Amino acid sequence: PMGVDTEKFGAATVAPRRLPGWEDAPVLAYLGTLDSSRHLDKVLDTLAILRRSYPGARLLLIGDSPTPSDVARLREYAAALGLGDAIHITGWLTADDALPLLAGADAAISYIPRGELFDISSPTKLLEYLALAVPCVGNDTPDQVRVLSASDAGWLTGSTPEEMAQGVAAIFDNPAAARARAAAGPRFIEENRSYRVRAEQVARSYRALA
């Protein structure tokens, strides 16, 4: 399983920041690659559903794709849904620039497509959200089920846009309660998925083999 550099992703070390003009909007963030294999049209569909109840909701996509046409298609799909002004794609950012934007969001989403390609993966983005104590939604891939069930620091949903929108809406509906729940994330990551813990586990495995 993947881990997190908790010295870099510590909630106490990152000052939240909002994009200019987004200060009062409900903001949903996604951190990671935007390549077509991620099917981020589902995240845009989630935003479209959310905006029925939260017309001012925005989506911050922190990342990029090595294939420029992937990002162009995302923009085209957003425009077709009437979301052209409701999304912002940052491009690749350093951690120093990306993490404050992520920490400043009201909610974060970790959508991983189901199937053979990604079901064996251990998504890092969900762990990073938890380490920053950002209220987050993750869909039902195996590792995300394990992490969210064990931590109880985020919202586990199905993989449809409707189900993910329900999870995000629960965060938007009660931000204070969502932040209180997310506050359990940093301790869970430090004790279970920090690089320190992962390194100790690997070292014990090597010692057992020797």
Side-chain angles (χ1 to χ4, degrees), residues 27-140:
V27 176
L28 175 64
Y30 172 93
L31 174 71
T33 182
L34 308 182
D35 68 73
S36 59
S37 69
R38 301 289 175 160
H39 297 292
L40 293 177
D41 54 301
K42 303 300 184 186
V43 176
L44 292 173
D45 290 339
T46 299
L47 177 65
I49 295 168
L50 281 167
R51 282 170 65 89
R52 297 171 191 168
S53 301
Y54 291 90
R58 310 285 182 87
L59 174 63
L60 178 62
L61 295 165
I62 306 171
D64 208 333
S65 170
T67 306
S69 60
D70 291 343
V71 175
R73 279 194 291 269
L74 274 180
R75 293 188 189 279
E76 290 170 2
Y77 189 70
L81 292 175
L83 301 175
D85 294 333
I87 71 166
H88 180 82
I89 300 174
T90 66
W92 299 122
L93 297 178
T94 65
D96 287 343
D97 290 328
L99 298 187
L101 289 173
L102 177 59
D106 297 292
I109 188 167
S110 180
Y111 170 67
I112 309 296
R114 296 302 311 273
E116 293 182 358
L117 178 60
F118 290 114
D119 273 2
I120 61 171
S121 70
S122 177
T124 307
K125 61 176 62 62
L126 177 68
L127 307 180
E128 294 168 344
Y129 300 162
L130 294 174
L132 285 176
V134 178
C136 61
V137 166
N139 67 309
D140 54 354

Side-chain angles (χ1 to χ4, degrees), residues 161-179:
E162 291 80 10
E163 291 168 314
M164 292 188 290
Q166 288 178 5
V168 178
I171 296 171
F172 285 173
D173 287 345
N174 196 334
R179 288 285 174 183

Side-chain angles (χ1 to χ4, degrees), residues 4-16 95-96 99-100 102-104 127-134 182-183 185-187 189-190 194-195:
V4 172
D5 181 351
T6 52
E7 292 183 4
K8 180 179 292 185
F9 282 82
T13 63
V14 177
D96 287 343
L99 298 187
L102 177 59
L127 307 180
E128 294 168 344
Y129 300 162
L130 294 174
L132 285 176
V134 178
R187 181 175 179 179
I189 294 298
E190 179 59 43
S194 65
Y195 282 153

